[in-house]
Amino acid sequence: MSEQIKYRTRVAPSPTGDPHVGLLRNALYNYFLARQSGGQFILRIEDTDQAREVEGSIDRILAALNWIGTVPDEGPFKQSDYKDEYLKLAKELINKGHAYYCFCSSERLDQLRAEQAKNHQAPRYDRKCRELDKAESEKRSLTEPHVIRMKMPDDEEIVLRDAVKGEVKFNSNEIDDQVIIKSDGFPTYHLASVVDDHLMKINLMLRSDEWLSSSPKHLMLYRYFGWDLPTFAHLPLILNLDRTKISKRKNDTSVLSYKAKGYHPLAMAHFLMFCGWNPEKTQDTYSFADYEKLFSLDRVGKSPAVFDIKKLDWLSHQYFNQDKIDDVFAAYLVWLGDKAENTEVEELFIKLARENHSAAQAMLDIVRMRADYFTQYSATAATFFNQDKLGQLSAVDLLQDGKIDKVEAIKALELVKQSISKIEKSWYDEKSAEKRSKQLNEYFRQVQPAELSPAAYLHPTRVAITGEKQSMNMFEYLSVYLLMDKGVAEIEHRLDHAAAILKNENN
Ligand code: GLU
């Protein structure tokens, strides 16, 4: 039996702002491949393009990885800390005849590119400095601005064996003599990423499809250095719904913005796992242990994945509704605490949570059935705190525009008040809000007097209690209110208040 290779995998983001959803998808795949083989998952920060660096990016990358749960085993390592190492290795390539100093000015290169464009040729360096005398270039390099370029061979078919794409062939004549050290002495992505993957002993190298075309340059660098190749795997691109490459303009691509909106992290993980991968048999929800067991590169597709936010919303709903309510409650409070500013409703909720844990939790238990993520929770909870509407109650609304008889309505309000005071104590002990509201519904049906029509009985009651003319489920509302301190008294007061409005009505 062959021994399982322990995979050392990595993600290598550039610190250029908010971590992208694509990074997180790649992190998940890398993380599970490392986990399932007993290897390590490494975070490397590719900060060799210092002009593009955005302050705070590394913290944000770590926050995104932590939120989803793909915490790196090693790192973050920063490439800028190893600047001299890359230069040393690039000079080694010059000595071996695989690279050369290039002194061409940017003006010359611009002119070259303009001419090539005019002749409908692909932009390429014309290798002018490749033929310079080695000793002379060495000398010039001490005083003149320069870059270092790698030599691409002529007339060679370079073959990539990719774990996802299969065999991909490149014609070396179509590939530029890539700059590997820039004029500021920093390496380009190509050199730095190959050197680091080698030095960090990465043996399974996953990255997005957009880098596929760079692979022949990387394969050549491995050959020039005489290093063993890792397994390469290029992961499908993620697209907008209209099948253009995912962009900020059409989608929210920032991982942390989904965290800020209060999405369930496992829903985000599920959503991103399926941006490119499909298990043999699907299930509704997954744990990290499931992915560790099920994930395999064999089932990663070649074609791009589509980012459909509606699916993410739906998943977030599923995951929150299958969690224990205590966990959702705790997570929601943490989320509220992390928010820079809370809305009025959120402040009311926090106050309720402090004063009456079970009423607040019951409210959340109802809210989670109606909303997908925490920002929506806050909007949905608003109906429970909607006191203004009670002050605007009118006879017209209570009597459904005259469809309900006033005398019957007044009677219903009084009967409901009596029934509420007689609710069994055991009802309060039921843990699930859904069951509690169903039981309340049942109870109201039992005590409903035969002489009153259901509409006359329930409509004025609902409007009196919730202040809402339509849509609000009164039993859900009550199932929360009756748990509140002075909740019964408050409901009785609302019923009396509505009855008084009807009694004062002179028609
Ligand atoms: N720095 C590259 C990026 O941010 C990493 C590509 C790779 O994984 O090699 O996309």
Side-chain angles (χ1 to χ4, degrees), residues 10-14 44 46 189 193 197 205-208 210-211:
R10 52 64 164 184
V11 278
S14 302
R44 178 169 82 227
E46 299 204 325
Y189 159 69
S193 112
D197 284 345
M205 197 279 303
L206 265 62
R207 65 183 171 201
S208 300
E210 59 193 301
W211 298 106

PDB file of all heavy atoms in Angstrom, residues 10-14 44 46 189 193 197 205-208 210-211, ligand 1:
ATOM      1  N   ARG A  10      -0.718  26.060   0.334  1.00  0.00           N
ATOM      2  CA  ARG A  10      -0.610  27.466   0.742  1.00  0.00           C
ATOM      3  C   ARG A  10      -1.622  28.335   0.009  1.00  0.00           C
ATOM      4  O   ARG A  10      -2.115  27.975  -1.069  1.00  0.00           O
ATOM      5  CB  ARG A  10       0.806  27.966   0.512  1.00  0.00           C
ATOM      6  CG  ARG A  10       1.422  27.755  -0.883  1.00  0.00           C
ATOM      7  CD  ARG A  10       0.720  28.494  -1.957  1.00  0.00           C
ATOM      8  NE  ARG A  10       1.432  28.628  -3.202  1.00  0.00           N
ATOM      9  CZ  ARG A  10       0.965  29.327  -4.224  1.00  0.00           C
ATOM     10  NH1 ARG A  10      -0.216  29.899  -4.167  1.00  0.00           N
ATOM     11  NH2 ARG A  10       1.640  29.418  -5.343  1.00  0.00           N
ATOM     12  N   VAL A  11      -1.941  29.468   0.613  1.00  0.00           N
ATOM     13  CA  VAL A  11      -2.523  30.561  -0.177  1.00  0.00           C
ATOM     14  C   VAL A  11      -1.511  31.690  -0.114  1.00  0.00           C
ATOM     15  O   VAL A  11      -0.767  31.816   0.853  1.00  0.00           O
ATOM     16  CB  VAL A  11      -3.889  31.071   0.338  1.00  0.00           C
ATOM     17  CG1 VAL A  11      -5.025  30.194  -0.143  1.00  0.00           C
ATOM     18  CG2 VAL A  11      -3.901  31.272   1.831  1.00  0.00           C
ATOM     19  N   ALA A  12      -1.509  32.497  -1.169  1.00  0.00           N
ATOM     20  CA  ALA A  12      -0.461  33.515  -1.265  1.00  0.00           C
ATOM     21  C   ALA A  12      -1.055  34.852  -1.684  1.00  0.00           C
ATOM     22  O   ALA A  12      -0.747  35.371  -2.748  1.00  0.00           O
ATOM     23  CB  ALA A  12       0.601  33.049  -2.253  1.00  0.00           C
ATOM     24  N   PRO A  13      -1.930  35.435  -0.866  1.00  0.00           N
ATOM     25  CA  PRO A  13      -2.570  36.687  -1.282  1.00  0.00           C
ATOM     26  C   PRO A  13      -1.602  37.870  -1.270  1.00  0.00           C
ATOM     27  O   PRO A  13      -0.644  37.880  -0.506  1.00  0.00           O
ATOM     28  CB  PRO A  13      -3.649  36.896  -0.218  1.00  0.00           C
ATOM     29  CG  PRO A  13      -3.143  36.177   0.988  1.00  0.00           C
ATOM     30  CD  PRO A  13      -2.384  34.993   0.462  1.00  0.00           C
ATOM     31  N   SER A  14      -1.896  38.833  -2.126  1.00  0.00           N
ATOM     32  CA  SER A  14      -1.181  40.101  -2.077  1.00  0.00           C
ATOM     33  C   SER A  14      -1.957  41.011  -1.122  1.00  0.00           C
ATOM     34  O   SER A  14      -3.187  40.980  -1.116  1.00  0.00           O
ATOM     35  CB  SER A  14      -1.130  40.719  -3.466  1.00  0.00           C
ATOM     36  OG  SER A  14      -0.503  39.799  -4.338  1.00  0.00           O
ATOM     37  N   ARG A  44       1.078  32.817   3.019  1.00  0.00           N
ATOM     38  CA  ARG A  44       2.217  33.636   2.582  1.00  0.00           C
ATOM     39  C   ARG A  44       1.676  34.948   2.013  1.00  0.00           C
ATOM     40  O   ARG A  44       0.708  34.938   1.248  1.00  0.00           O
ATOM     41  CB  ARG A  44       2.971  32.878   1.493  1.00  0.00           C
ATOM     42  CG  ARG A  44       4.138  33.660   0.949  1.00  0.00           C
ATOM     43  CD  ARG A  44       5.013  32.806   0.078  1.00  0.00           C
ATOM     44  NE  ARG A  44       4.526  32.660  -1.265  1.00  0.00           N
ATOM     45  CZ  ARG A  44       4.448  31.497  -1.926  1.00  0.00           C
ATOM     46  NH1 ARG A  44       4.785  30.359  -1.336  1.00  0.00           N
ATOM     47  NH2 ARG A  44       4.028  31.459  -3.168  1.00  0.00           N
ATOM     48  N   GLU A  46       2.218  37.950  -0.400  1.00  0.00           N
ATOM     49  CA  GLU A  46       3.052  38.328  -1.549  1.00  0.00           C
ATOM     50  C   GLU A  46       3.054  39.847  -1.688  1.00  0.00           C
ATOM     51  O   GLU A  46       2.214  40.417  -2.377  1.00  0.00           O
ATOM     52  CB  GLU A  46       2.541  37.607  -2.804  1.00  0.00           C
ATOM     53  CG  GLU A  46       2.623  36.092  -2.616  1.00  0.00           C
ATOM     54  CD  GLU A  46       2.710  35.283  -3.893  1.00  0.00           C
ATOM     55  OE1 GLU A  46       2.090  35.673  -4.896  1.00  0.00           O
ATOM     56  OE2 GLU A  46       3.388  34.232  -3.879  1.00  0.00           O
ATOM     57  N   TYR A 189       6.329  38.498  -9.131  1.00  0.00           N
ATOM     58  CA  TYR A 189       5.530  37.382  -8.616  1.00  0.00           C
ATOM     59  C   TYR A 189       6.116  36.036  -9.052  1.00  0.00           C
ATOM     60  O   TYR A 189       6.240  35.107  -8.258  1.00  0.00           O
ATOM     61  CB  TYR A 189       4.091  37.538  -9.110  1.00  0.00           C
ATOM     62  CG  TYR A 189       3.296  36.248  -9.086  1.00  0.00           C
ATOM     63  CD1 TYR A 189       2.944  35.663  -7.876  1.00  0.00           C
ATOM     64  CD2 TYR A 189       2.937  35.607 -10.272  1.00  0.00           C
ATOM     65  CE1 TYR A 189       2.239  34.472  -7.848  1.00  0.00           C
ATOM     66  CE2 TYR A 189       2.234  34.420 -10.251  1.00  0.00           C
ATOM     67  CZ  TYR A 189       1.889  33.861  -9.037  1.00  0.00           C
ATOM     68  OH  TYR A 189       1.211  32.681  -9.015  1.00  0.00           O
ATOM     69  N   SER A 193       7.256  33.534  -6.215  1.00  0.00           N
ATOM     70  CA  SER A 193       6.325  32.462  -5.871  1.00  0.00           C
ATOM     71  C   SER A 193       6.984  31.085  -6.067  1.00  0.00           C
ATOM     72  O   SER A 193       6.804  30.189  -5.251  1.00  0.00           O
ATOM     73  CB  SER A 193       5.014  32.647  -6.632  1.00  0.00           C
ATOM     74  OG  SER A 193       4.825  31.666  -7.574  1.00  0.00           O
ATOM     75  N   ASP A 197       7.615  28.659  -2.956  1.00  0.00           N
ATOM     76  CA  ASP A 197       6.972  27.340  -2.947  1.00  0.00           C
ATOM     77  C   ASP A 197       8.030  26.255  -2.733  1.00  0.00           C
ATOM     78  O   ASP A 197       7.809  25.288  -2.007  1.00  0.00           O
ATOM     79  CB  ASP A 197       6.195  27.090  -4.252  1.00  0.00           C
ATOM     80  CG  ASP A 197       4.885  27.863  -4.283  1.00  0.00           C
ATOM     81  OD1 ASP A 197       4.460  28.341  -3.202  1.00  0.00           O
ATOM     82  OD2 ASP A 197       4.282  28.004  -5.363  1.00  0.00           O
ATOM     83  N   MET A 205       0.370  22.692  -5.177  1.00  0.00           N
ATOM     84  CA  MET A 205       0.244  24.134  -5.376  1.00  0.00           C
ATOM     85  C   MET A 205      -1.064  24.446  -6.104  1.00  0.00           C
ATOM     86  O   MET A 205      -1.211  24.183  -7.283  1.00  0.00           O
ATOM     87  CB  MET A 205       1.455  24.605  -6.184  1.00  0.00           C
ATOM     88  CG  MET A 205       1.708  26.089  -6.146  1.00  0.00           C
ATOM     89  SD  MET A 205       0.689  27.019  -7.267  1.00  0.00           S
ATOM     90  CE  MET A 205       1.061  26.279  -8.823  1.00  0.00           C
ATOM     91  N   LEU A 206      -2.030  24.965  -5.328  1.00  0.00           N
ATOM     92  CA  LEU A 206      -3.335  25.304  -5.904  1.00  0.00           C
ATOM     93  C   LEU A 206      -3.412  26.805  -6.095  1.00  0.00           C
ATOM     94  O   LEU A 206      -3.033  27.553  -5.200  1.00  0.00           O
ATOM     95  CB  LEU A 206      -4.425  24.952  -4.890  1.00  0.00           C
ATOM     96  CG  LEU A 206      -5.137  23.615  -4.955  1.00  0.00           C
ATOM     97  CD1 LEU A 206      -4.140  22.505  -4.741  1.00  0.00           C
ATOM     98  CD2 LEU A 206      -6.235  23.543  -3.902  1.00  0.00           C
ATOM     99  N   ARG A 207      -3.916  27.238  -7.209  1.00  0.00           N
ATOM    100  CA  ARG A 207      -4.183  28.668  -7.399  1.00  0.00           C
ATOM    101  C   ARG A 207      -5.249  28.829  -8.480  1.00  0.00           C
ATOM    102  O   ARG A 207      -5.614  27.868  -9.160  1.00  0.00           O
ATOM    103  CB  ARG A 207      -2.899  29.414  -7.763  1.00  0.00           C
ATOM    104  CG  ARG A 207      -2.332  28.995  -9.088  1.00  0.00           C
ATOM    105  CD  ARG A 207      -1.031  29.696  -9.391  1.00  0.00           C
ATOM    106  NE  ARG A 207      -0.417  29.127 -10.569  1.00  0.00           N
ATOM    107  CZ  ARG A 207       0.873  29.232 -10.866  1.00  0.00           C
ATOM    108  NH1 ARG A 207       1.679  29.869 -10.063  1.00  0.00           N
ATOM    109  NH2 ARG A 207       1.346  28.696 -11.967  1.00  0.00           N
ATOM    110  N   SER A 208      -5.724  30.078  -8.641  1.00  0.00           N
ATOM    111  CA  SER A 208      -6.832  30.308  -9.574  1.00  0.00           C
ATOM    112  C   SER A 208      -6.358  30.216 -11.019  1.00  0.00           C
ATOM    113  O   SER A 208      -5.194  30.448 -11.326  1.00  0.00           O
ATOM    114  CB  SER A 208      -7.443  31.684  -9.343  1.00  0.00           C
ATOM    115  OG  SER A 208      -7.920  31.744  -8.031  1.00  0.00           O
ATOM    116  N   GLU A 210      -6.559  32.115 -13.420  1.00  0.00           N
ATOM    117  CA  GLU A 210      -5.959  33.285 -14.068  1.00  0.00           C
ATOM    118  C   GLU A 210      -4.433  33.174 -14.136  1.00  0.00           C
ATOM    119  O   GLU A 210      -3.795  33.870 -14.915  1.00  0.00           O
ATOM    120  CB  GLU A 210      -6.367  34.560 -13.336  1.00  0.00           C
ATOM    121  CG  GLU A 210      -5.947  34.558 -11.892  1.00  0.00           C
ATOM    122  CD  GLU A 210      -6.619  35.658 -11.077  1.00  0.00           C
ATOM    123  OE1 GLU A 210      -6.439  36.819 -11.441  1.00  0.00           O
ATOM    124  OE2 GLU A 210      -7.298  35.329 -10.092  1.00  0.00           O
ATOM    125  N   TRP A 211      -3.838  32.280 -13.346  1.00  0.00           N
ATOM    126  CA  TRP A 211      -2.385  32.109 -13.343  1.00  0.00           C
ATOM    127  C   TRP A 211      -1.917  30.985 -14.261  1.00  0.00           C
ATOM    128  O   TRP A 211      -0.725  30.733 -14.372  1.00  0.00           O
ATOM    129  CB  TRP A 211      -1.890  31.851 -11.911  1.00  0.00           C
ATOM    130  CG  TRP A 211      -2.200  33.012 -11.019  1.00  0.00           C
ATOM    131  CD1 TRP A 211      -3.179  33.050 -10.061  1.00  0.00           C
ATOM    132  CD2 TRP A 211      -1.590  34.297 -11.016  1.00  0.00           C
ATOM    133  NE1 TRP A 211      -3.205  34.288  -9.462  1.00  0.00           N
ATOM    134  CE2 TRP A 211      -2.236  35.068 -10.032  1.00  0.00           C
ATOM    135  CE3 TRP A 211      -0.555  34.875 -11.758  1.00  0.00           C
ATOM    136  CZ2 TRP A 211      -1.877  36.388  -9.772  1.00  0.00           C
ATOM    137  CZ3 TRP A 211      -0.195  36.186 -11.478  1.00  0.00           C
ATOM    138  CH2 TRP A 211      -0.864  36.930 -10.503  1.00  0.00           C
TER     139      TRP A 211
HETATM  140  N1  GLU B   1      -0.299  36.721  -5.168  1.00  0.00           N
HETATM  141  C1  GLU B   1      -1.131  35.993  -6.049  1.00  0.00           C
HETATM  142  C2  GLU B   1      -2.556  36.498  -5.895  1.00  0.00           C
HETATM  143  O1  GLU B   1      -2.808  37.300  -5.004  1.00  0.00           O
HETATM  144  C3  GLU B   1      -1.055  34.527  -5.685  1.00  0.00           C
HETATM  145  C4  GLU B   1      -1.199  33.587  -6.808  1.00  0.00           C
HETATM  146  C5  GLU B   1      -0.738  32.197  -6.375  1.00  0.00           C
HETATM  147  O2  GLU B   1      -1.457  31.585  -5.578  1.00  0.00           O
HETATM  148  O3  GLU B   1       0.332  31.770  -6.790  1.00  0.00           O
HETATM  149  O4  GLU B   1      -3.431  36.141  -6.631  1.00  0.00           O
END
